[in-house]
Amino acid sequence: MKLYSNPASPFVNKTLIIAHECGLLDEIERIDIALAPGNPNHEFGKQNPLRQIPALITETGTCLYDSFVICDYLIARAGNKTLLPADGPERTHVLHMHALCNGIMERAVATRYETFARPEEYRWPAMIDDNFDRIDKGLAWLNAHIDEALAGPFDLASATFVAMLKYLDFRFDHLGWRTKYPALKEPFDALSQLSCVKAAYPAA
Ligand SMILES: N[C@@H](CCC(=O)N[C@@H](CS)C(=O)NCC(=O)O)C(=O)O
């Protein structure tokens, strides 16, 4: 399998954590590409018309996206029953917490594009502030409900939680999430020690 990726992408890193946990990381060749809105890579677009990473080329040549679909594919392929439970309230819970952590990640990546990729004269401060506020509110919710949010074994939501906070450290260190949301620190530190997380961030 081939994974179009970039070490700076939290969606890629979430996927790599899951791939390692599924015992499939060694079967994945990484092809690093740099993408940004407004600078279309049409060659890559022949594989993924949305021109976003991660995108996984399976052995049959299918190009899978987005990160959730790739994780779901890897989990099913590995026959793993805990990373994403098959049904019931456990599945709903993992999907719900994945949606929250992934949503924060999406707001963070969007803000990165708004503040870094977009030429200064086209920036819209109200949108940037709104993005930061959603990130803040999401983190505040997690801070207040962390035991419930990460209850149960390591799963897709835990992988997304750690990838999301690592991205905030990488791009938005000034937000100071450890000070504002101290309940997140201990689970983050514990998850960061897992071999699947270390494997996804070899340079850390
Ligand atoms: N919902 C997608 C989001 C993927 C995404 O936003 N990837 C970014 C990199 S972090 C990207 O490819 N950006 C290039 C672009 O949007 O032009 C997923 O979960 O895979």
Side-chain angles (χ1 to χ4, degrees):
M1 293 181 280
K2 293 182 180 175
L3 187 73
Y4 286 99
S5 55
N6 188 294
S9 165
F11 303 99
V12 166
N13 291 323
K14 168 184 81 172
T15 305
L16 293 175
I17 294 171
I18 293 297
H20 185 277
E21 201 59 13
C22 289
L24 293 170
L25 194 57
D26 291 345
E27 291 183 33
I28 296 175
E29 178 196 340
R30 274 175 254 178
I31 305 171
D32 277 0
I33 52 172
L35 299 169
N39 187 16
N41 180 335
H42 291 295
E43 197 50 40
F44 174 59
K46 291 177 189 163
Q47 301 276 16
N48 176 0
L50 299 177
R51 298 195 295 266
Q52 287 195 314
I53 50 171
L56 181 79
I57 311 291
T58 68
E59 277 102 344
T60 58
T62 303
C63 181
L64 289 181
Y65 46 87
D66 59 4
S67 62
F68 174 75
V69 173
I70 299 170
C71 290
D72 184 52
Y73 171 78
L74 296 174
I75 291 166
R77 188 178 153 142
N80 186 297
K81 303 284 181 234
T82 53
L83 288 168
L84 181 58
D87 51 31
E90 293 83 7
R91 179 179 173 84
T92 304
H93 176 72
V94 173
L95 289 175
H96 183 195
M97 290 304 108
H98 169 266
L100 177 57
C101 296
N102 208 68
I104 296 172
M105 223 144 82
E106 279 174 1
R107 287 301 103 203
V109 169
T111 307
R112 170 78 181 159
Y113 291 148
E114 280 294 323
T115 53
F116 176 79
R118 192 187 287 271
E120 203 155 357
E121 64 270 29
Y122 298 126
R123 289 182 197 160
W124 185 18
M127 180 181 270
I128 296 168
D129 290 348
D130 184 30
N131 278 343
F132 276 130
D133 189 55
R134 294 184 207 208
I135 292 168
D136 236 25
K137 296 292 192 302
L139 294 175
W141 191 94
L142 281 168
N143 193 61
H145 301 87
I146 193 64
D147 291 342
E148 162 199 342
L150 295 184
F154 183 86
D155 57 28
L156 178 62
S158 328
T160 312
F161 172 84
V162 71
M164 177 269 287
L165 289 176
K166 278 186 174 283
Y167 185 71
L168 294 184
D169 277 346
F170 175 47
R171 293 295 194 204
F172 299 103
D173 197 29
H174 67 276
L175 291 180
W177 65 263
R178 285 175 183 77
T179 311
K180 286 171 89 176
Y181 306 113
L184 307 185
K185 188 178 173 316
E186 197 184 305
F188 172 78
D189 289 345
L191 290 168
S192 298
Q193 293 311 310
L194 297 177
S195 52
C196 58
V197 177
K198 288 185 169 173
Y201 296 87

